[in-house]
Short mmCIF file of all heavy atoms in Angstrom, two decimals:
data_model
loop_
_atom_site.label_atom_id
_atom_site.label_comp_id
_atom_site.label_asym_id
_atom_site.label_seq_id
_atom_site.Cartn_x
_atom_site.Cartn_y
_atom_site.Cartn_z
N GLY A 1 12.29 -3.74 10.36
CA GLY A 1 11.79 -4.06 11.68
C GLY A 1 10.75 -5.16 11.65
O GLY A 1 10.51 -5.79 10.63
N ASP A 2 10.11 -5.37 12.79
CA ASP A 2 9.13 -6.44 12.94
C ASP A 2 7.75 -5.97 12.49
O ASP A 2 7.46 -4.78 12.38
CB ASP A 2 9.06 -6.89 14.41
CG ASP A 2 10.38 -7.45 14.90
OD1 ASP A 2 11.11 -8.02 14.06
OD2 ASP A 2 10.68 -7.30 16.10
N GLU A 3 6.89 -6.95 12.26
CA GLU A 3 5.49 -6.70 11.94
C GLU A 3 5.30 -5.79 10.73
O GLU A 3 4.41 -4.96 10.67
CB GLU A 3 4.75 -6.13 13.15
CG GLU A 3 4.74 -7.09 14.34
CD GLU A 3 3.95 -6.53 15.51
OE1 GLU A 3 3.62 -5.34 15.48
OE2 GLU A 3 3.65 -7.29 16.43
N GLN A 4 6.17 -5.95 9.75
CA GLN A 4 6.10 -5.07 8.59
C GLN A 4 4.84 -5.26 7.78
O GLN A 4 4.39 -4.34 7.11
CB GLN A 4 7.33 -5.27 7.70
CG GLN A 4 8.58 -4.66 8.30
CD GLN A 4 9.74 -4.76 7.33
OE1 GLN A 4 9.56 -4.87 6.14
NE2 GLN A 4 10.94 -4.72 7.86
N GLU A 5 4.23 -6.44 7.84
CA GLU A 5 3.01 -6.64 7.07
C GLU A 5 1.94 -5.65 7.51
O GLU A 5 1.12 -5.21 6.71
CB GLU A 5 2.51 -8.08 7.23
CG GLU A 5 1.36 -8.40 6.31
CD GLU A 5 0.99 -9.87 6.33
OE1 GLU A 5 1.40 -10.58 7.27
OE2 GLU A 5 0.28 -10.30 5.41
N TYR A 6 1.96 -5.25 8.78
CA TYR A 6 0.99 -4.31 9.29
C TYR A 6 1.46 -2.87 9.06
O TYR A 6 0.66 -1.97 8.84
CB TYR A 6 0.73 -4.58 10.77
CG TYR A 6 0.21 -5.98 10.97
CD1 TYR A 6 1.06 -7.02 11.33
CD2 TYR A 6 -1.13 -6.27 10.72
CE1 TYR A 6 0.59 -8.32 11.48
CE2 TYR A 6 -1.61 -7.56 10.87
CZ TYR A 6 -0.75 -8.58 11.24
OH TYR A 6 -1.21 -9.86 11.37
N VAL A 7 2.77 -2.67 9.09
CA VAL A 7 3.33 -1.35 8.79
C VAL A 7 3.05 -0.98 7.33
O VAL A 7 2.86 0.19 7.00
CB VAL A 7 4.86 -1.34 9.07
CG1 VAL A 7 5.51 -0.07 8.52
CG2 VAL A 7 5.12 -1.47 10.56
N GLU A 8 2.99 -1.99 6.46
CA GLU A 8 2.85 -1.73 5.01
C GLU A 8 1.65 -0.87 4.66
O GLU A 8 1.67 -0.14 3.67
CB GLU A 8 2.77 -3.05 4.24
CG GLU A 8 4.11 -3.70 3.99
CD GLU A 8 3.97 -5.02 3.26
OE1 GLU A 8 2.84 -5.40 2.92
OE2 GLU A 8 5.00 -5.67 3.04
N ARG A 9 0.60 -0.92 5.46
CA ARG A 9 -0.60 -0.16 5.12
C ARG A 9 -0.35 1.34 5.12
O ARG A 9 -1.18 2.10 4.64
CB ARG A 9 -1.73 -0.51 6.08
CG ARG A 9 -1.54 -0.01 7.49
CD ARG A 9 -2.62 -0.52 8.42
NE ARG A 9 -2.61 -1.97 8.50
CZ ARG A 9 -3.45 -2.68 9.27
NH1 ARG A 9 -4.36 -2.05 9.98
NH2 ARG A 9 -3.37 -3.98 9.32
N HIS A 10 0.78 1.79 5.66
CA HIS A 10 1.14 3.20 5.67
C HIS A 10 2.16 3.54 4.59
O HIS A 10 2.64 4.68 4.54
CB HIS A 10 1.72 3.59 7.04
CG HIS A 10 0.81 3.27 8.19
ND1 HIS A 10 -0.35 3.97 8.42
CD2 HIS A 10 0.89 2.33 9.15
CE1 HIS A 10 -0.94 3.46 9.50
NE2 HIS A 10 -0.22 2.46 9.95
N THR A 11 2.52 2.59 3.77
CA THR A 11 3.61 2.78 2.83
C THR A 11 3.11 3.15 1.43
O THR A 11 1.92 3.23 1.17
CB THR A 11 4.46 1.50 2.71
OG1 THR A 11 3.68 0.50 2.03
CG2 THR A 11 4.91 1.00 4.07
N ALA A 12 4.09 3.28 0.52
CA ALA A 12 3.77 3.60 -0.87
C ALA A 12 2.88 2.54 -1.51
O ALA A 12 2.11 2.84 -2.43
CB ALA A 12 5.06 3.76 -1.67
N LEU A 13 2.95 1.31 -1.01
CA LEU A 13 2.14 0.23 -1.60
C LEU A 13 0.66 0.49 -1.42
O LEU A 13 -0.14 0.26 -2.32
CB LEU A 13 2.55 -1.10 -0.97
CG LEU A 13 1.83 -2.35 -1.47
CD1 LEU A 13 1.96 -2.50 -2.98
CD2 LEU A 13 2.38 -3.61 -0.76
N TRP A 14 0.27 0.96 -0.27
CA TRP A 14 -1.14 1.29 -0.04
C TRP A 14 -1.50 2.61 -0.71
O TRP A 14 -2.57 2.74 -1.30
CB TRP A 14 -1.43 1.36 1.46
CG TRP A 14 -2.11 0.15 2.02
CD1 TRP A 14 -3.38 0.09 2.54
CD2 TRP A 14 -1.59 -1.18 2.11
NE1 TRP A 14 -3.67 -1.18 2.96
CE2 TRP A 14 -2.58 -1.99 2.71
CE3 TRP A 14 -0.39 -1.78 1.77
CZ2 TRP A 14 -2.41 -3.35 2.95
CZ3 TRP A 14 -0.20 -3.12 2.00
CH2 TRP A 14 -1.20 -3.88 2.58
N HIS A 15 -0.63 3.60 -0.62
CA HIS A 15 -0.91 4.91 -1.21
C HIS A 15 -1.11 4.83 -2.71
O HIS A 15 -2.00 5.49 -3.26
CB HIS A 15 0.24 5.88 -0.88
CG HIS A 15 0.15 6.46 0.50
ND1 HIS A 15 0.01 7.80 0.73
CD2 HIS A 15 0.19 5.87 1.71
CE1 HIS A 15 -0.02 8.02 2.03
NE2 HIS A 15 0.09 6.85 2.64
N VAL A 16 -0.26 4.06 -3.40
CA VAL A 16 -0.37 4.01 -4.85
C VAL A 16 -1.71 3.39 -5.28
O VAL A 16 -2.28 3.78 -6.30
CB VAL A 16 0.82 3.25 -5.47
CG1 VAL A 16 0.69 1.73 -5.29
CG2 VAL A 16 0.97 3.58 -6.95
N LEU A 17 -2.23 2.48 -4.49
CA LEU A 17 -3.52 1.87 -4.84
C LEU A 17 -4.67 2.86 -4.71
O LEU A 17 -5.66 2.76 -5.43
CB LEU A 17 -3.76 0.64 -3.96
CG LEU A 17 -2.81 -0.53 -4.22
CD1 LEU A 17 -3.04 -1.64 -3.20
CD2 LEU A 17 -2.95 -1.06 -5.63
N GLU A 18 -4.54 3.83 -3.81
CA GLU A 18 -5.56 4.86 -3.71
C GLU A 18 -5.47 5.87 -4.84
O GLU A 18 -6.41 6.63 -5.09
CB GLU A 18 -5.46 5.57 -2.35
CG GLU A 18 -5.67 4.69 -1.14
CD GLU A 18 -7.04 4.04 -1.11
OE1 GLU A 18 -7.95 4.51 -1.83
OE2 GLU A 18 -7.22 3.06 -0.37
N ALA A 19 -4.33 5.88 -5.55
CA ALA A 19 -4.12 6.81 -6.65
C ALA A 19 -4.55 6.24 -8.00
O ALA A 19 -4.47 6.92 -9.02
CB ALA A 19 -2.66 7.24 -6.71
N VAL A 20 -4.98 4.96 -8.03
CA VAL A 20 -5.32 4.29 -9.29
C VAL A 20 -6.48 4.99 -9.99
O VAL A 20 -7.48 5.34 -9.37
CB VAL A 20 -5.69 2.82 -9.04
CG1 VAL A 20 -6.20 2.16 -10.33
CG2 VAL A 20 -4.50 2.06 -8.48
N GLN A 21 -6.32 5.18 -11.30
CA GLN A 21 -7.40 5.65 -12.16
C GLN A 21 -7.66 4.61 -13.24
O GLN A 21 -6.78 3.81 -13.57
CB GLN A 21 -7.04 7.00 -12.78
CG GLN A 21 -6.92 8.13 -11.78
CD GLN A 21 -6.72 9.48 -12.44
OE1 GLN A 21 -7.01 9.67 -13.62
NE2 GLN A 21 -6.22 10.44 -11.67
N PRO A 22 -8.87 4.59 -13.79
CA PRO A 22 -9.18 3.60 -14.83
C PRO A 22 -8.18 3.63 -15.98
O PRO A 22 -7.82 4.70 -16.47
CB PRO A 22 -10.59 4.01 -15.29
CG PRO A 22 -11.19 4.67 -14.09
CD PRO A 22 -10.06 5.40 -13.43
N GLY A 23 -7.73 2.45 -16.38
CA GLY A 23 -6.77 2.35 -17.47
C GLY A 23 -5.33 2.34 -17.04
O GLY A 23 -4.43 2.18 -17.88
N ASP A 24 -5.06 2.50 -15.74
CA ASP A 24 -3.67 2.51 -15.26
C ASP A 24 -3.06 1.11 -15.30
O ASP A 24 -3.74 0.11 -15.02
CB ASP A 24 -3.60 3.02 -13.82
CG ASP A 24 -3.69 4.52 -13.72
OD1 ASP A 24 -3.61 5.21 -14.77
OD2 ASP A 24 -3.86 5.04 -12.58
N VAL A 25 -1.77 1.06 -15.61
CA VAL A 25 -0.98 -0.15 -15.46
C VAL A 25 0.05 0.13 -14.37
O VAL A 25 0.86 1.04 -14.49
CB VAL A 25 -0.26 -0.54 -16.77
CG1 VAL A 25 0.66 -1.73 -16.54
CG2 VAL A 25 -1.28 -0.88 -17.85
N LEU A 26 0.00 -0.63 -13.30
CA LEU A 26 0.94 -0.46 -12.21
C LEU A 26 2.30 -1.05 -12.61
O LEU A 26 2.38 -2.23 -12.95
CB LEU A 26 0.43 -1.16 -10.94
CG LEU A 26 1.30 -1.01 -9.69
CD1 LEU A 26 1.38 0.46 -9.26
CD2 LEU A 26 0.75 -1.87 -8.55
#
């Protein structure tokens, strides 16, 4: 759909960044 750049903040891309711990390799 449209405006996905704004939708992205609810996706796995944002969630995975909140799960980062020191030493992680994405």
Side-chain angles (χ1 to χ4, degrees):
D2 298 329
E3 298 183 347
Q4 286 186 23
E5 188 172 16
Y6 301 97
V7 170
E8 279 178 2
R9 69 187 62 179
H10 304 289
T11 70
L13 181 56
W14 258 246
H15 280 242
V16 76
L17 293 174
E18 298 299 343
V20 173
Q21 294 187 20
D24 282 349
V25 175
L26 183 63

